[in-house]
Amino acid sequence: MLSADWTRAGADIEAAERGGAGVIHVDVMDGRFVPNITVGLPIVKSLRRATHLPLDAHLMIEEPGRYAEQFVEAGANMVSVHVEADRHLHRTLTGIRARGALAGIAINPATPLVAIEESLADADYVVLMSVNPGFGGQKFIPSSIDKLRRLRRMIRERNLKTRIEIDGGVDQGNIAEVAAAGADIIVAGTAVFGTNDPERAVRELREAAVQWV
Ligand code: ZN
């Protein structure tokens, strides 16, 4: 939703849903963990009323443990927090799960996978950032593909069911490669809401994603 026009968010979500979108991803930014400020709890509450799709709140904020459970209360079905921002990741993930939502760990491009190794079993999904978080419309960082493959292997070796969500710069040109490398959930912002036909954009992305798999 980072690339959405908020005055018509409800209509755009419906269009994305018709195109086959499975999850609505909301980027929450605080102006501290990332330079940008976006939306908070009231918007998540409104979105909850606007769609039946699962809401995925990606918290790009400092001290996410202070707010994560409030996002579940606001209606998020999935809440992810950054490993770089949380000194007590285990507690935060456990709290999200205890409230009944899926708990995710988000990880920046420059952060090594070893930083989340101990927490993988406590997470339902990992948000692998394929751009530096903070703004929409950035270019996909090519080394993310190799990182994605290594994360897939790490999860498999531990016999875990942790899903991988990839976030940033995915479009029709690279979605097949991203899907083939092992992403379970693919976030698209500009590629969907940056167009004037979100329904068609989602449908074309879904078709492109399965092309080479
Ligand atoms: Zn995001």
Side-chain angles (χ1 to χ4, degrees):
M1 293 301 292
L2 182 56
S3 310
D5 173 353
W6 289 99
T7 60
R8 39 168 300 128
D12 278 357
I13 288 174
E14 278 176 30
E17 195 171 343
R18 283 195 303 274
V23 174
I24 300 297
H25 182 91
V26 186
D27 286 316
V28 177
M29 305 186 187
D30 66 351
R32 287 185 63 219
F33 180 68
V34 290
N36 206 2
I37 297 177
T38 55
V39 302
L41 289 159
I43 297 284
V44 171
K45 270 187 200 147
S46 302
L47 291 175
R48 180 67 289 158
R49 292 193 293 269
T51 181
H52 295 294
L53 289 178
L55 281 181
D56 172 22
H58 176 192
L59 306 189
M60 288 175 249
I61 65 176
E62 293 288 355
E63 297 185 73
R66 289 174 61 192
Y67 302 98
E69 292 178 38
Q70 293 180 50
F71 278 90
V72 182
E73 296 298 303
N77 309 85
M78 304 165 66
V79 178
S80 63
V81 298
H82 270 266
V83 60
E84 302 87 0
D86 198 340
R87 290 197 192 90
H88 306 288
L89 191 56
H90 177 268
R91 182 159 67 205
T92 306
L93 296 171
T94 307
I96 294 168
R97 279 179 159 179
R99 297 265 171 177
L102 299 181
I105 311 170
I107 179 167
N108 281 340
T111 307
L113 289 175
V114 67
I116 62 172
E117 194 179 353
E118 301 300 327
S119 309
L120 274 179
D122 304 311
D124 298 292
Y125 63 109
V126 173
V127 182
L128 192 73
M129 293 304 300
S130 40
V131 299
N132 290 295
F135 299 95
Q138 298 186 76
K139 251 180 97 67
F140 186 85
I141 298 172
S143 58
S144 309
I145 293 284
D146 180 58
K147 196 175 184 183
L148 173 52
R149 289 200 187 102
R150 283 184 283 121
L151 177 58
R152 177 91 284 164
R153 204 179 312 138
M154 217 167 151
I155 291 169
R156 198 173 39 227
E157 282 168 3
R158 284 161 184 74
N159 283 319
L160 296 170
K161 294 199 163 38
T162 320
R163 306 273 203 94
I164 305 176
E165 176 174 323
I166 192 148
D167 188 6
V170 177
D171 58 24
Q172 283 197 41
N174 57 21
I175 194 167
E177 198 185 0
V178 166
D184 302 295
I185 303 165
I186 299 171
V187 177
T190 310
V192 173
F193 295 116
T195 72
N196 50 23
D197 191 347
E199 176 180 348
R200 185 172 156 194
V202 174
R203 192 177 308 119
E204 288 178 356
L205 280 166
R206 290 186 64 97
E207 284 164 6
V210 294
Q211 227 156 29
W212 307 104
V213 179

